Amino acid sequence: MNVLVTGGTSGLGLAMASALAATGASVALTGRSGERAESVAAGLPGATGVEMDVRDESSVARAVDRVWSRLGGIDMLVNNAGIGMRTVNPRFMTQPQGFWEVPSDAFRAVIDTNLTGYFLVAREITPRMLASGGGRIVNISMNHSTMRRAGFVPYGPSRAGSEALSRIMAADLRGTGVTVNLLLPGGATVTGMLPQDVASEDHGFLSPAVMGPPIVWLASDDAAGVHDERLVAAEFEQWLREWDSRQPNETGKQEPDAH
């Protein structure tokens, strides 16, 4: 399995890249700094680091070309690159701002990264997957409650938009051999997106490692036909049991009903 993880130098992206690499997948992880991406990749077995600014079409095209050439194709795209509320309001957890207080340039920066970035990378890779006979796309999302939370403009709208994008991508690609699914942690996670004063305290936040088991499963043979599903990493074991129970046989390899 050749996997491209955008925003893979830290947080959720690094946790997923690490879990995939540990299973033997060939992983390419991206970051805005090519030097940092290469440095982080050097710590993972068989991984490669590539510079990519998901906001820039030419940067996306160059990076995808490079990864496709290095790996000999891309079987799975993990759309993960994003920036959070900390870039807009460093104290967003304790002193939330009303949407009317958010600078327009900060709003655009988050939307460009978290929503337009998902679109640009998927748009670049999907035709290649279709031409090669199939592939898998996993778009990283967040809890619906966060999309409606006071003080969460523009992060909430950006992730709500990326979730709608994912559902439409799944509808557009149904029956083509390219699958699309959503994956989210299921709660606040200890990453660089949290304010430093909050992240250093014990609030029962999830570890980024929670993303490992579901992303490894989504890359497995068992998930070959899984399409248009929304997986919550913190509830993955329960979700998998329920998913297995919906299958018409014991292999778990047939495509579930869309819902």
Side-chain angles (χ1 to χ4, degrees):
M1 178 67 69
N2 298 331
V3 187
L4 172 61
V5 181
T6 68
T9 60
S10 63
L12 302 183
L14 179 55
M16 291 185 288
S18 299
L20 288 162
T23 67
S26 297
V27 178
L29 57 88
T30 77
R32 290 184 186 176
S33 166
E35 183 177 349
R36 174 166 169 73
E38 291 173 1
S39 174
V40 172
L44 303 180
T48 184
V50 178
E51 178 180 340
M52 178 195 286
D53 184 344
V54 299
R55 304 167 300 177
D56 184 304
E57 292 178 56
S58 59
S59 176
V60 169
R62 286 194 302 271
V64 171
D65 279 341
R66 190 172 299 119
V67 172
W68 197 275
S69 176
R70 285 186 186 179
L71 301 186
I74 297 173
D75 303 307
M76 173 184 277
L77 162 65
V78 182
N79 250 334
N80 166 76
I83 55 178
M85 282 302 304
R86 185 173 167 182
T87 64
V88 179
N89 173 15
R91 295 174 297 280
F92 70 94
M93 294 286 285
T94 55
Q95 300 177 36
Q97 289 180 326
F99 68 88
W100 60 93
E101 299 176 282
V102 175
S104 58
D105 59 344
F107 184 96
R108 291 189 182 96
V110 174
I111 297 295
D112 285 350
T113 304
N114 297 3
L115 176 55
T116 307
Y118 277 22
F119 163 72
L120 291 177
V121 181
R123 187 183 68 160
E124 185 66 32
I125 288 179
T126 298
R128 299 170 186 249
M129 287 183 168
L130 290 170
S132 63
R136 307 181 194 190
I137 299 173
V138 180
N139 294 319
I140 305 307
S141 188
M142 65 175 187
N143 287 345
H144 287 147
S145 59
T146 307
M147 298 177 189
R148 305 185 295 268
R149 184 172 177 176
F152 268 64
V153 166
Y155 185 70
S158 74
R159 283 296 180 237
S162 62
E163 186 149 330
L165 172 66
S166 184
R167 294 297 195 183
I168 295 171
M169 286 168 57
D172 288 347
L173 289 167
R174 187 173 300 281
T176 66
V178 177
T179 62
V180 182
N181 293 285
L182 282 158
L183 174 62
L184 58 147
T189 312
V190 180
T191 69
M193 289 188 179
L194 285 178
Q196 290 181 334
D197 57 339
V198 173
S200 62
E201 300 173 6
D202 183 10
H203 289 284
F205 294 135
L206 296 171
S207 164
V210 73
M211 301 291 278
I215 198 63
V216 167
W217 183 80
L218 284 168
S220 72
D221 290 343
D222 288 342
V226 178
H227 184 65
D228 200 16
E229 293 283 346
R230 188 176 193 269
L231 285 72
V232 179
E235 303 168 3
F236 175 59
E237 290 186 5
Q238 177 183 346
W239 180 91
L240 187 56
R241 287 194 297 270
E242 293 174 353
W243 184 83
D244 282 338
S245 71
R246 301 200 306 268
Q247 305 316 299
N249 59 41
E250 295 181 355
T251 67
K253 296 181 180 179
Q254 295 189 21
E255 184 174 348
D257 293 336
H259 60 78

